[in-house]
Structure formats: C-alpha cells, structure tokens
Amino acid sequence: MGCQCRSNDELQQLVDEAKKYASNGTVADYIPALEKANPEDLSVAIYYPDGKGYCAGDVSGKMTLQSISKVLTLALVLMEKGEDYVFSYVGKEPTGDPFNSIAKLETNKPSKPLNPMINAGALTVTHMIEGASVTERFERILHFIRELTQNPNIGFNEEVARSEYNTADLNRSLSYFLKQHHVINEDVEELIELYSKQCAIEMDSQDLARIGCVLAMNGKDLLTGRQIIPGDIARICKTFMVTCGMYNASGEFAINVGIPAKSGVSGGIMGAVPGKCGIGIYGAALDEKGNSVAGIKILEMMAKKYSLSMFNL
C-alpha cells in the first residue's frame, strides 16, 4: 500500500510545482465558450472511500465535463441496455487517431466506432439513452451524475452547451455517417443537442474526485453503502480509461502515471485509483492531444509520491 495524502498544504505544494508547466499549453479555442478560460487555473482534489478528502488550488472553480462525460454515459447505458447490446454497436479497441477522427469509420467493416471514448463512439452511446425527449434523456444523465457526486445541485453550463451545439459540424458529420450505416437512427440535431448538454455538465474538482472514488471502489459509495454502478460495469469503465481515456496519449500516460483516468478539453481529468481513491483535476491549458498539461504533471507527481500506479507490485 502506498501512503496517503495528509493535508491540503501537501497537495498545494504539488499544485505550485505543476502550475509552472501550464505555460506550455493553450486553452481549447475551437469551442468559443471554452476559450475564455484562464490557462493558469489549476486545482486538484483527492477523495478517499472513508469520506476524507483534500484539495488545493482554486477548488471553487467549475469545469464542464466534456469528454469525461463519456465514461459516465457509458456506465449508464451499460446498466440500462447490457454489454451485448452496447458492444454490438461500438467496439472495445483503442485508436491512435484523434478523438474526433472519422477515418476508422470509413475503413472498418462493419462501420462501427472503435471505442466509446472517441466522439463517434460517444455519440453512439448517447444515442442509446432512453427517453421520449432530449429533456427527459438529459435528466436521466443529470440524475445519475447527481447520485454519483451526492450533489443535487449539479447542472450544466448553458453558454458552453450552446457554443458546442453551434460549432458541432464535425460531430454532425460523424452522426450522419453513423446514421447512414444504421449505427444510430434518431434525428441528428436532437442527438447533437443532447450530446452538447451532456458535455456541458458542470462541477468542481471535488465533485469529480468523488465520482472517481465510486469507480475506484468498483461502483460502490462506501459512505452511503450504495452500489451505484455494478462492479463489472465499473471494471469496464476503468479499463477504457486505461486504454483510451487520455486520447491518443493513453499508452504514454499508462507508463508514466498508471492511473485509470479520463480527460476533457475543458482541462478536467478524473482519476480512479483502484481500491484507493478518486482524483479530480482542473487545469485549462492543454497539450496538442487535448490533455491538461499541468494536470498530467500533477498526476505524475501524485502517482510517484503516493505510489498510485495500478501497475506497482
């Protein structure tokens, strides 16, 4: 067993060190609302199964989930539809391509997305969320995330959702391709609206760490004693986080950090250290692959200091 974090001050030292690397990145600019973020913002929270938690940096600052939401909608859909159904429409293999690439859809037979962590796969998963309207389906996602965080006030950023919807032409292209090949069968604009709202769900790093902890403990919230996600589904989610969670830097991240993690282009990273803790990070400055520069650096330092790599003996 590795040591645990003991204080907020201890984490603050890591934040101060990692923050120096933020200048090596830039904020996401292809979604106008995200371009307003402060590239120097950095916060981290760590949450343990017994309810203890520590945080440092501007932890009151909120981030939108963006691609982190892909893990959570996958868990929800697996719970509702089952593995056989979900994986008949989306694969389980990593891809070296950018997260928004259409290339593999054109070359794969059948033309189903390689995994749920790329945009084509995430759109396919979101398509599976049940409900009679976009509003009803979005409420299902929100309810699930509020349950995971034990925070009934989780909502979404309307400005970011609108900005994403208005600039989602590439996701529309992916969706029309998927519709042409009978992977999805709904109105594309409704799917894009739902997906844009899903990505714009907003929380702070402490909420994110709490979700990570539920995944780390095989889907169970030990404080309430509730099994929110079945253990086998939590295992599937963590496996995708290891193989595909950090876009096409996932292999390097597994070697350098070794924590199941999922990033988003808002600068968020959710970590789930199996059997140990959850980690939530927000650092808006991204590298060329879409991952938080300072966020990755702080995870490297935390993994070393607290012996968090799942590959340690």
Side-chain angles (χ1 to χ4, degrees):
M1 286 288 290
C3 59
Q4 288 193 359
C5 176
R6 300 296 179 191
S7 70
N8 293 342
D9 290 341
E10 200 175 284
L11 268 188
Q12 187 62 50
Q13 290 176 4
L14 298 181
V15 167
D16 292 342
E17 179 63 28
K19 195 175 256 194
K20 300 171 188 174
Y21 294 85
S23 60
N24 296 334
T26 55
V27 299
D29 57 5
Y30 62 93
I31 300 170
L34 295 183
E35 196 174 8
K36 300 176 182 178
N38 181 351
E40 294 186 2
D41 280 351
L42 181 61
S43 66
V44 60
I46 188 165
Y47 190 89
Y48 293 103
D50 62 2
K52 284 184 183 170
Y54 302 98
C55 56
D58 182 19
V59 289
S60 62
K62 291 190 174 183
M63 75 198 93
T64 51
L65 287 180
Q66 301 300 326
S67 285
I68 298 170
S69 69
K70 296 171 180 176
V71 178
L72 310 180
T73 51
L74 175 64
L76 181 60
V77 164
L78 283 169
M79 288 161 62
E80 292 183 342
K81 300 283 193 179
E83 280 184 63
D84 290 346
Y85 180 87
V86 172
F87 294 122
S88 66
Y89 289 96
V90 62
K92 303 175 184 176
E93 295 302 321
T95 169
D97 296 329
F99 62 91
N100 55 6
S101 173
I102 200 169
K104 290 288 196 304
L105 282 179
E106 293 187 290
T107 56
N108 277 4
K109 301 295 179 188
S111 293
K112 71 178 186 180
L114 273 182
N115 67 69
M117 299 297 111
I118 55 175
N119 283 16
L123 287 160
T124 302
V125 168
T126 297
H127 166 67
M128 297 178 191
I129 292 168
E130 296 178 350
S133 65
V134 169
T135 300
E136 186 179 318
R137 294 161 77 194
F138 183 61
E139 282 300 320
R140 292 176 78 85
I141 301 172
L142 263 187
H143 176 77
F144 180 54
I145 290 175
R146 287 167 178 164
E147 194 175 18
L148 288 167
T149 57
Q150 292 297 301
N151 182 352
N153 298 316
I154 296 285
F156 76 107
N157 185 311
E158 292 189 28
E159 181 190 0
V160 172
R162 188 165 54 250
S163 187
E164 296 209 32
Y165 179 82
N166 290 338
T167 56
D169 288 341
L170 190 48
N171 281 339
R172 285 182 175 87
S173 300
L174 292 169
S175 298
Y176 278 113
F177 192 98
L178 293 167
K179 190 169 184 177
Q180 173 68 26
H181 290 271
H182 310 293
V183 178
I184 69 170
N185 60 7
E186 72 172 294
D187 179 83
V188 166
E189 289 306 308
E190 289 191 0
L191 177 58
I192 295 298
E193 182 186 351
L194 178 58
Y195 186 71
S196 298
K197 287 181 175 179
Q198 166 194 313
C199 290
I201 291 171
E202 197 170 45
M203 64 181 64
D204 61 30
S205 49
Q206 291 171 291
D207 292 317
L208 201 54
R210 180 143 190 171
I211 298 176
C213 191
V214 171
L215 286 167
M217 303 312 293
N218 296 320
K220 191 168 189 176
D221 185 335
L222 292 192
L223 274 188
T224 64
R226 294 198 57 234
Q227 187 78 40
I228 301 174
I229 302 170
D232 58 337
I233 291 176
R235 176 187 59 81
I236 290 169
C237 290
K238 283 181 288 189
T239 306
F240 276 121
M241 289 164 73
V242 172
T243 59
C244 317
M246 303 298 287
Y247 304 126
N248 46 333
S250 297
E252 182 181 4
F253 184 85
I255 291 169
N256 294 343
V257 180
I259 295 171
K262 184 71 196 86
S263 62
V265 294
S266 62
I269 304 176
M270 176 179 70
V273 188
K276 292 185 179 180
C277 61
I279 299 170
I281 289 173
Y282 174 58
L286 309 178
D287 61 22
E288 68 281 357
K289 291 177 179 174
N291 297 315
S292 171
V293 176
I296 286 181
K297 181 51 77 173
I298 201 168
L299 278 170
E300 287 178 2
M301 293 191 289
M302 289 174 76
K304 188 174 182 181
K305 185 176 179 67
Y306 304 122
S307 191
L308 297 180
S309 174
M310 63 182 286
F311 303 109
N312 285 341
L313 294 175

